[in-house]
Amino acid sequence: MNMHTVFQRKPLLMILACLGISSLCFIYTRTDSAATFYQIFQTSDGIKAFWETDKNLNDLFSGTQKVLKSASPFTRSIDNSIFQTHRDIRVLRDETLRNIIIDDEVDCSKRQFLLYKCSRGLCGGWGDREKGIVSSFLLALLTNRTFAIYMDKPCELENFMDPFIFNWTKCKRYLDTIPAQNTTEENHVGGNRGFYGKISSIDFEKLWTRKKIVLFLNAYVPVMDSIKLHKDVEKQMKWIVNMTRPEIVHLVIHTLFRPKQRLRNELAEFIRTNTNGRHLVCSHIRIGKNPSIPGDNNLPKGSPKEGTIFSFLKRFKNPRKYAIYIATDSNDVRQGAMNNFKNVFNINRTIVHVDRFKKVDRETDICEGLYTVLFEQLMLSFCDTLLITRSNFGTIAAYMRGSSDDLYLYHTKTDKVFLTNITNIQSVYGFV
Ligand SMILES: Nc1nc2c(ncn2[C@@H]2O[C@H](COP(=O)(O)OP(=O)(O)O)[C@@H](O)[C@H]2O)c(=O)[nH]1
Ligand SMILES: [Mg+2]
């Protein structure tokens, strides 16, 4: 394995020894604080991934761009030195995205577009939105349209997330100038869910003739499945045909998003100081309507019994070996975890349902609530052991984590926890 390793630390002692693509490239900048987040590996079967802390991605990749282009259908890897287990993030290589990429903003006017939108009205929580974003992005690839994301509820996503491999912000200024008569809006969140099942047989050239198509979506399983059956799939996105659903979601989410520096740094610091080299065991416990998120509904399949999960986690109670983190939509559950375990750690931040919040005086608090949601989902995606309950938020964290290693599901109906494979989550929870 050839290795491109990026340690990003401050203040600076920087050694740069880049001996070409087939040999070792090593950048090291040092600091007392713990900013090391990612390493870049390059293996013989392709390129490997990144997110370093504060260097511009273009600077970082100018030397390896050739590798990105000649790599296998998607690029892979991240090994994170602050964790016990191997971390690995795979992204779509830019060759796969060639048809929809815009190099220069001046070229925006030549393109047709597909937008994911969440602004006013119901979009669903962050998990639902991720589903809509994955679907819209795949439909953009299928129909040869440049993809953009408009999300400003409760505040702009760009406050906390940057585009990563595919830049979904590049044509935003141009998009704002496209008049309504050149725009079609389709809302598939509320009514008209029939669209999802029909995708495989839609002739999109006939259906979508306008320059700008705006989609409100919150489903992805039927979209992924029917895109695979569409007549244009071989030509537009052959890579998807034999790929599992968890892998598709993993690739798309990591291709689109890189957390902004604040999020990356705070997360790295949070994990480092709280785990201190111990095995990180996490659970997401999604309760549904409760005093922390009063605007939410009761969950359709019922809430998990947190007592069952705590009993299961007792096997990790040794504080010398394990650190336990519980992400949840309920302050009572958070508190319960503190009462049950000496080795639990927490973030001291307010829980907000990003779609069903009550009007409050201070908008910034709700916006920070979105930050917390993004933070906690990323956190889950880095756990050595992960246990989830039925929720899109937790399921996508598991997909972002991208591994079946030490992955457990809680099943509400049987009130049991069991070890599983990542490809089984969908059949157990049955999301759309
Ligand atoms: N901060 C925080 N918020 C959560 C957590 N679990 C759920 N939520 C909130 O509740 C919403 C749940 O909606 P969604 O993400 O669509 O997942 P689902 O409804 O459980 O499938 C999230 O978007 C968050 O706003 C959690 O562990 N931490
Ligand atoms: Mg939801």
Side-chain angles (χ1 to χ4, degrees), residues 123-129 218 286 296 299 353 356 391-393:
C123 320
W126 173 238
D128 286 300
R129 295 176 194 190
N218 65 345
R286 170 82 161 111
D296 201 8
L299 299 183
H353 192 302
R356 294 163 182 267
S391 163
N392 290 294
F393 174 89

Side-chain angles (χ1 to χ4, degrees), residues 295-308:
D296 201 8
N297 295 327
N298 293 322
L299 299 183
K301 310 234 161 144
S303 302
K305 295 199 174 95
E306 68 265 27
T308 306

Side-chain angles (χ1 to χ4, degrees), residues 118-119 129 150-160 354 357 363-371:
C118 165
S119 194
R129 295 176 194 190
Y150 273 67
M151 176 184 136
D152 62 7
K153 182 187 180 186
C155 58
E156 289 212 2
L157 182 59
E158 286 95 315
N159 285 319
F160 310 122
V354 294
F357 47 87
E363 294 289 329
T364 50
D365 288 351
I366 313 180
C367 189
E368 282 297 302
L370 172 63
Y371 176 87

Side-chain angles (χ1 to χ4, degrees), residues 74-143:
F74 47 90
T75 61
R76 113 148 70 107
S77 182
I78 276 189
D79 191 64
N80 196 320
S81 60
I82 60 176
F83 301 103
Q84 295 292 305
T85 33
H86 178 77
R87 294 285 154 237
D88 176 289
I89 286 182
R90 297 158 310 272
V91 293
L92 287 163
R93 63 174 174 145
D94 55 0
E95 186 134 310
T96 311
L97 310 170
R98 192 182 42 223
N99 290 344
I100 66 166
I101 276 182
I102 298 280
D103 288 325
D104 196 320
E105 206 183 319
V106 296
D107 294 329
C108 291
S109 60
K110 299 179 193 151
R111 293 289 308 166
Q112 293 197 304
F113 294 91
L114 192 147
L115 278 64
Y116 168 83
K117 190 163 175 180
C118 165
S119 194
R120 269 158 281 121
L122 279 191
C123 320
W126 173 238
D128 286 300
R129 295 176 194 190
E130 287 176 301
K131 298 199 309 186
I133 288 167
V134 168
S135 292
S136 311
F137 178 75
L138 295 174
L139 286 168
L141 275 175
L142 182 72
T143 59

Side-chain angles (χ1 to χ4, degrees), residues 261-404:
Q261 193 179 331
R262 171 187 169 202
L263 192 43
R264 294 200 302 273
N265 288 352
E266 290 186 3
L267 197 56
E269 183 62 17
F270 184 67
I271 295 173
R272 193 188 65 84
T273 51
N274 287 295
T275 57
N276 229 333
R278 292 175 294 172
H279 185 96
L280 177 57
V281 179
C282 307
S283 177
H284 180 233
I285 306 182
R286 170 82 161 111
I287 298 296
K289 187 181 177 77
N290 79 81
S292 304
I293 48 167
D296 201 8
N297 295 327
N298 293 322
L299 299 183
K301 310 234 161 144
S303 302
K305 295 199 174 95
E306 68 265 27
T308 306
I309 295 171
F310 294 159
S311 300
F312 173 83
L313 293 175
K314 288 265 148 67
R315 68 189 67 185
F316 302 111
K317 70 174 191 230
N318 183 343
R320 284 191 308 278
K321 280 196 184 158
Y322 304 108
I324 300 178
Y325 180 79
I326 307 288
T328 175
D329 59 358
S330 156
N331 257 323
D332 292 345
V333 172
R334 243 189 216 172
Q335 195 52 52
M338 299 287 272
N339 299 341
N340 272 272
F341 298 96
K342 288 201 194 83
N343 56 339
V344 148
F345 65 102
N346 258 312
I347 40 164
N348 194 11
R349 295 182 60 91
T350 308
I351 295 165
V352 171
H353 192 302
V354 294
D355 212 47
R356 294 163 182 267
F357 47 87
K358 294 257 151 66
K359 281 257 169 283
V360 292
D361 305 335
R362 293 170 55 197
E363 294 289 329
T364 50
D365 288 351
I366 313 180
C367 189
E368 282 297 302
L370 172 63
Y371 176 87
T372 309
V373 170
L374 299 171
F375 184 102
E376 294 211 82
Q377 191 187 44
L378 277 164
M379 177 74 196
L380 293 173
S381 79
F382 289 124
C383 299
D384 298 308
T385 294
L386 178 63
L387 191 169
I388 58 174
T389 64
R390 188 178 189 278
S391 163
N392 290 294
F393 174 89
T395 298
I396 294 177
Y399 292 166
M400 288 161 69
R401 181 174 174 269
S403 160
S404 298

Side-chain angles (χ1 to χ4, degrees), residues 138 224 228 240 243-252:
L138 295 174
M224 287 187 269
K228 288 182 179 178
I240 203 175
M243 205 163 271
T244 63
R245 295 177 190 131
E247 188 60 13
I248 296 168
V249 178
H250 177 100
L251 283 167
V252 174

